[in-house]
Amino acid sequence: MDIRFQNLGPEHWKAQVMLAPACQGEDILHQCPELDKAAPWLAVAPARRDFQGKNGELALFHGHPDLPVPRVLAVGLGPREKADAAVLRKAVAAAVQRCREQGFASILLPEPALARLPGGPERLVEESVCAALLALYRFTMLKKAEADEPVDPQWLALGFDGQSVPDGAHAAARRGERAAGAICLARDLANMPANLLPPEALARRAAELAKECGFTCTILESDALAEQGMGALLAVGQGSARPPCLVVLEHAPQGHEQEKPLIFVGKGLTFDTGGICLKPAANMQQMKCDMSGAAAVLAAIAALAREDAPRRVVGLLACAENMPGGRAMRPGDVVRAASGDSVEIVNTDAEGRLALCDALAYAQKQWTPAAVVDIATLTGACAVALGTEVAGLFCDDAALAERIVAAGGACGENYWQLPLWKPYAESLKSEVADICHMGPREGGAINAALFLQHFLQKGVRWAHLDIAGVDWNAKKTPLCPVGASGFGARTLLELARGGVQ
Ligand code: BES
Ligand code: MN
Ligand code: ZN
């Protein structure tokens, strides 16, 4: 769906349907006076009074089919004091889905109506555009088209009052479009089944995107991993016929080549069977999403390169497939990580931290990071603790943690900070190696985070995002069908757009 603009005020707007966002308990014509000009017939439509403006409510009104705006879709936002960006996102998404079901080819969203809501007009333009595009996301590339499948609207236009579209609003719409593009790319990558997207295919996809968007992509294959001493990442991949790799992405725009990069590290397990410590069969198919962290990193960097963001950003994708093959790592194995530490492996299903620890070491060896942010579907324990709507954040740098919570909160990706509880690091002591990769079941998300922290040098700003649980959407919502959610892509994008202070 194209995002377009119309100006010169409601008398000149034209589309098959106009959305009218409205709060509860207030007359829709008062809230959206543009309707008087764009759809004057609504004033005399008695059915108008059936619309109450409840959160989630949609009401479609029909005028004469030959009018420039023949229909109005009233979009309920609930009580005004609760109508924030999150409510608007969901409402716009539900409205756009309704338009698709109805077969409307063109939609008009009046900007003045957004400007009357709290939150800032440009922000709400950005959020509306992003939500409208997310609403249409489907993972259809492996399916024949169904005969009765609804067709996406061709365009959504933002309607403006003045002679021209303000630059700020124009830019905001483009930002929203770009954010939606990143999220949809992350969803596509994570929804792709593991047979069709093994580590080497994920790396190839990254290289293609690098060419398309203009960032660099280097792939470290098994030999290079061995050269770098990445025994942990190699161990994770060694039970699979498809070898592991580390994908190195860099966006270094002109004039920023020498700046300290912001480094994103993503867990890229294209499938996680658990290895020799095999997972139960129930829901194991969801483990095709165990590369959601890597997908978020790749999608964010592609978006940053596309908009030529004025910041140096590096992305590391630690890719492997955790399989129980004949060469698989075993419980009790000791491997040498890139940091030089020997690591005792207890449960082969705690593989993500092994893949990440080598990538974290590499990040600090190759660059002087402004900050390192890793993102991973790391622990079931995090999903148990926080559920499926809010992700875990581990960070001892208060300013960085605050930036991440703010960046995520603004775009509907919420984080809750959990402690890097130092005393628990005792439980990572090993009888036979420098460190053990896991502690007890209790505090599992914290123990995993503490293991990662072990590989960070003093003074390096670092945050760990545990997105297990939020990476998968089990029930369809206006903003996301069942499947991969793309969670994290936009947080990283906003983090880099805003810079880390
Ligand atoms: N990829 C899983 C974590 C996960 C679980 C992600 C559910 C998404 C949904 C991870 O590799 C894993 O298996 N972790 C183990 C660690 C344990 C063996 C210490 C877990 O959480 O059970
Ligand atoms: Mn696992
Ligand atoms: Zn995993």
Side-chain angles (χ1 to χ4, degrees):
M1 183 173 69
D2 277 355
I3 302 300
R4 299 187 182 173
F5 305 89
Q6 294 186 15
N7 51 0
L8 301 174
E11 298 91 334
H12 293 89
W13 296 345
K14 191 171 162 26
Q16 288 184 1
V17 61
M18 171 169 152
L19 306 186
C23 298
Q24 191 166 357
E26 303 170 35
D27 189 314
I28 184 172
L29 294 179
H30 283 147
Q31 293 191 64
C32 195
E34 292 71 31
L35 287 169
D36 258 344
K37 305 239 168 63
W41 46 269
L42 190 65
V44 294
R48 194 185 84 231
R49 309 214 182 275
D50 298 345
F51 175 74
Q52 296 173 0
K54 285 191 191 147
N55 191 0
E57 188 180 354
L58 293 173
L60 183 60
F61 302 105
H62 295 263
H64 191 280
D66 293 341
L67 292 168
V69 178
R71 302 174 194 87
V72 168
L73 180 58
V75 182
L77 300 176
R80 181 168 293 274
E81 62 279 9
K82 288 191 190 150
D84 58 7
V87 169
L88 180 69
R89 269 194 294 268
K90 233 171 129 185
V92 168
V96 168
Q97 284 180 348
R98 169 68 79 83
C99 292
R100 173 165 65 189
E101 282 160 28
Q102 299 278 341
F104 302 152
S106 57
I107 308 172
L108 192 125
L109 179 60
E111 187 270 350
L114 298 179
R116 274 178 221 114
L117 297 168
E122 289 176 5
R123 280 282 304 129
L124 296 185
V125 163
E126 179 179 350
E127 292 311 309
S128 303
V129 166
C130 183
L133 291 167
L134 290 181
L136 299 176
Y137 176 81
R138 287 179 288 189
F139 183 70
T140 52
M141 62 185 107
L142 304 177
K143 237 176 143 175
K144 285 198 204 82
E146 284 164 41
D148 55 350
E149 202 160 273
V151 179
D152 285 0
Q154 278 167 22
W155 52 262
L156 175 139
L158 288 152
F160 290 83
D161 253 333
Q163 286 294 319
S164 62
V165 177
D167 287 349
H170 212 275
R174 293 290 167 238
R175 274 198 308 277
E177 212 175 3
R178 188 84 69 207
I183 296 169
C184 292
L185 171 58
R187 286 180 185 174
D188 272 347
L189 290 166
N191 277 327
M192 191 59 87
N195 63 324
L196 302 178
L197 197 78
E200 65 262 47
L202 180 52
R204 225 179 306 121
R205 189 77 191 93
E208 280 167 21
L209 283 161
K211 256 209 189 129
E212 214 177 292
C213 310
F215 58 93
T216 66
C217 172
T218 316
I219 302 167
L220 275 60
E221 294 178 24
S222 299
D223 290 351
L225 297 182
E227 233 165 74
Q228 293 292 335
M230 296 194 186
L233 175 57
L234 280 166
V236 173
Q238 77 195 23
S240 166
R242 302 137 178 280
C245 59
L246 183 77
V247 183
V248 182
L249 317 171
E250 182 167 359
H251 166 66
Q254 224 175 29
H256 298 266
E257 296 94 339
Q258 302 307 319
E259 106 191 356
K260 290 180 180 175
L262 177 56
I263 305 189
F264 297 144
V265 179
K267 171 175 172 180
L269 265 288
T270 58
F271 199 78
D272 179 13
T273 65
I276 295 300
C277 307
L278 197 62
K279 284 180 182 296
N283 293 326
M284 205 208 273
Q285 74 278 8
Q286 284 178 21
M287 285 301 128
K288 70 176 183 179
C289 289
D290 213 17
M291 34 59 74
S292 292
V297 171
L298 176 53
I301 291 198
L304 289 161
R306 279 202 170 111
E307 67 192 27
D308 204 22
R311 173 133 24 257
R312 186 173 179 209
V313 186
V314 165
L316 301 176
L317 318 180
C319 304
E321 185 179 50
N322 189 19
M323 296 284 279
R327 293 175 193 274
M329 58 179 174
R330 291 151 291 249
D333 282 4
V334 173
V335 298
R336 179 82 56 193
S339 62
D341 292 295
S342 59
V343 181
E344 182 190 5
I345 297 167
V346 171
N347 186 320
T348 62
D349 197 11
E351 84 299 335
R353 60 197 83 182
L354 295 171
L356 288 174
C357 76
D358 279 349
L360 289 171
Y362 187 76
Q364 297 164 91
K365 190 175 130 203
Q366 296 291 316
W367 297 274
T368 307
V372 179
V373 179
D374 77 68
I375 177 163
T377 46
L378 203 62
T379 65
C382 191
V384 169
L386 297 179
T388 55
E389 282 187 22
V390 53
L393 161 66
F394 296 84
C395 184
D396 275 347
D397 182 314
L400 179 58
E402 200 184 312
R403 281 279 299 121
I404 292 171
V405 171
C411 62
E413 295 178 348
N414 294 305
Y415 296 88
W416 194 262
Q417 197 168 354
L418 297 171
L420 285 154
W421 191 259
K422 290 279 131 53
Y424 294 172
E426 280 296 307
S427 71
L428 300 177
K429 289 213 163 121
S430 164
E431 294 291 333
V432 296
D434 298 327
I435 187 169
C436 176
H437 77 144
M438 57 181 286
R441 218 168 75 87
E442 295 81 6
I446 299 175
N447 301 334
L450 286 168
F451 176 79
L452 296 179
Q453 191 177 37
H454 173 86
F455 296 88
L456 275 117
Q457 291 150 26
K458 272 219 161 45
V460 177
R461 302 181 73 189
W462 166 69
H464 159 56
L465 312 179
D466 193 333
I467 57 166
V470 296
D471 64 308
W472 180 266
N473 195 44
K475 225 180 105 219
K476 80 168 185 209
T477 68
L479 288 159
C480 189
V482 170
S485 66
F487 193 105
R490 195 165 174 204
T491 304
L492 299 181
L493 175 60
E494 302 297 349
L495 206 55
R497 278 175 171 171
V500 214
Q501 284 87 35

